[in-house]
Amino acid sequence: MSETAERSAAEMRGLLRFAQGLGLNEATVRKIYEAVGREAMAIGASDDDCMAEVRKRMLAAAQG
């Protein structure tokens, strides 16, 4: 597995644990993660900024 794939898998595992506490399902988390990833590539955002944005969107999704 490449370093990028390993990092993505680790990020997803962490996000899924976070999602459990919020009551979000895996499909929702993946949708958010992929959308933020596409947007980040377009603007060249850092990994830290991407993960912060994913968490922010997950919180918003959990609130309804």
Side-chain angles (χ1 to χ4, degrees):
M1 189 181 289
S2 73
E3 183 178 330
T4 302
E6 287 178 23
R7 186 179 69 239
S8 293
E11 288 173 347
M12 185 57 68
R13 284 190 301 273
L15 291 170
L16 290 173
R17 284 190 300 272
F18 183 60
Q20 285 178 333
L22 298 174
L24 295 175
N25 63 34
E26 183 175 345
T28 300
V29 175
R30 288 189 184 281
K31 182 177 176 182
I32 292 169
Y33 183 79
E34 291 169 3
V36 171
R38 285 189 301 272
E39 294 168 15
M41 286 182 69
I43 63 170
S46 72
D47 289 341
D48 289 340
D49 289 341
C50 291
M51 293 306 289
E53 181 64 21
V54 169
R55 288 185 190 99
K56 180 177 132 184
R57 291 186 190 189
M58 288 170 64
L59 287 168
Q63 292 176 350

